[in-house]
């Protein structure tokens, strides 16, 4: 048995997507696509400016989810849609709600919202062993 | 003569079956080896505000997604314009987490490539195994080309 119940709200942190964070993520992930790193290239690609890597947003969710799961090793799955580009300077808030508990498997619907409460990820869900 | 013919036919069948099953097991890209280095895991974890003593779940962005995307973009047959491409969806499922110091094996297949309205939607899956051959991660990537 685990301590989670359906409907339980799980807290998370808020993180600001700074240019330093995006540069650093490009370095550690190896994703140097210039739409994340070069203002001019991003503008030519029709974007509002440099945008965060989708995987950076998902990675920050992974860190939050590892906290819920009591360790990264307990995470079974992680999925999301990248609903919109996340521009530099935006603050993202992470939270979750337990939607299913099946034995030791806990399914959480995650919410990642930015400026004006607008979701940055869609259909985000985490399954972990609680 | 008839016996020779039968032997030939048998070999032909066995060889054909082997070639067929080898084809079905060979991914479109790879498999390639990916060493899980402690220093790389620590830098990746530090960037995401995670504890570097364990492999963060989305380190799969490096060992599965990055290889998937790089191969797809480099694939002339697919002809993707990287500047018009966005990451649409991502799903990772883990049977086990990678261990620091082990070398993973990663193979990627193209699942579908279709137009939805004016958008081109390409779905790829990466299959990741541990050094001992155990299943580690299945990664599903949806790329959208505008």
């Amino acid at each position: 048995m685990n301590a989670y119940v359906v409907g339980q709200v799980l807290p998370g942190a808020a993180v600001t997507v700074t240019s330093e964070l995006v540069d650093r993520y490009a370095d550690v992930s190896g994703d140097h696509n210039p739409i994340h790193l070069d203002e001019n290239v991003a503008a030519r690609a029709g974007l509002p400016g440099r945008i965060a890597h989708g995987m950076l947003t998902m990675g920050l969710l992974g860190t939050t989810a590892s906290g819920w799961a009591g360790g990264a090793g307990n995470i079974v799955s992680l999925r999301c849609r990248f609903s919109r580009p996340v521009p530099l300077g935006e603050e993202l808030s992470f939270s979750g709600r337990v939607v299913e508990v099946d034995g030791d498997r806990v399914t959480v619907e995650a919410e990642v919202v930015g400026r004006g409460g607008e979701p940055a990820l869609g259909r985000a869900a985490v399954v972990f062993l609680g | 003569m008839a016996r020779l013919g039968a032997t030939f036919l048998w070999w032909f069948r066995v060889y054909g079956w082997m070639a067929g099953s080898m084809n079905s097991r060979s991914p479109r890209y790879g498999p390639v080896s990916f060493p899980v280095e402690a220093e790389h895991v620590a830098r990746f974890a530090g960037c995401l505000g995670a504890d570097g003593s364990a492999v963060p779940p989305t380190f799969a962005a490096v060992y599965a997604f990055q290889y998937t995307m790089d191969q797809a973009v480099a694939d002339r047959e697919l002809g993707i314009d990287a500047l018009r491409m966005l990451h649409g969806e991502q799903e990772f499922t883990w049977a086990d987490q990678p261990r620091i110091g082990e070398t993973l094996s990663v193979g990627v297949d193209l699942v579908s490539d279709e137009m939805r309205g004016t958008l081109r939607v390409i779905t790829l899956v990466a299959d990741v195994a541990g050094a001992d051959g155990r299943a580690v991660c299945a990664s599903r990537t949806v790329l959208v080309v505008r």
Side-chain angles (χ1 to χ4, degrees), chain B:
Chain B
M1 195 63 201
R3 191 178 168 151
L4 245 181
T7 306
F8 175 76
L9 194 66
W10 184 80
W11 272 108
F12 185 77
R13 277 184 184 153
V14 169
Y15 185 77
W17 173 79
M18 281 173 66
S21 65
M22 278 164 76
N23 275 340
S24 70
R25 271 182 287 144
S26 169
R28 183 178 178 99
Y29 313 124
V32 288
S33 296
F34 181 91
V36 181
E37 291 161 354
E39 180 269 344
H40 193 179
V41 170
R43 281 195 299 128
F44 188 87
C47 178
L48 297 177
D51 169 14
S53 63
V55 179
T58 68
F59 193 60
V62 187
Y63 63 73
F65 166 70
Q66 195 60 40
Y67 176 67
T68 300
M69 192 176 62
D70 287 347
Q71 294 301 304
V73 168
D75 188 333
R76 289 189 176 189
E77 212 176 293
L78 288 182
I80 297 172
D81 176 355
L83 292 183
R84 305 216 68 81
M85 181 191 74
L86 291 172
H87 193 179
E89 290 175 40
Q90 182 64 46
E91 178 166 6
F92 299 115
T93 306
W94 293 274
D96 194 8
Q97 288 294 332
R99 293 163 194 157
I100 291 172
E102 79 171 322
T103 296
L104 304 171
S105 167
V106 186
V108 176
D109 274 305
L110 176 69
V111 175
S112 63
D113 180 359
E114 57 195 18
M115 293 301 295
R116 287 188 204 159
T118 58
L119 298 175
R120 183 177 172 202
V121 180
I122 299 165
T123 304
L124 302 119
V125 290
D127 188 27
V128 182
D132 52 1
R134 77 191 189 288
V136 167
C137 178
S139 162
R140 180 176 161 277
T141 297
V142 178
L143 301 175
V144 178
V145 187
R146 299 174 295 148

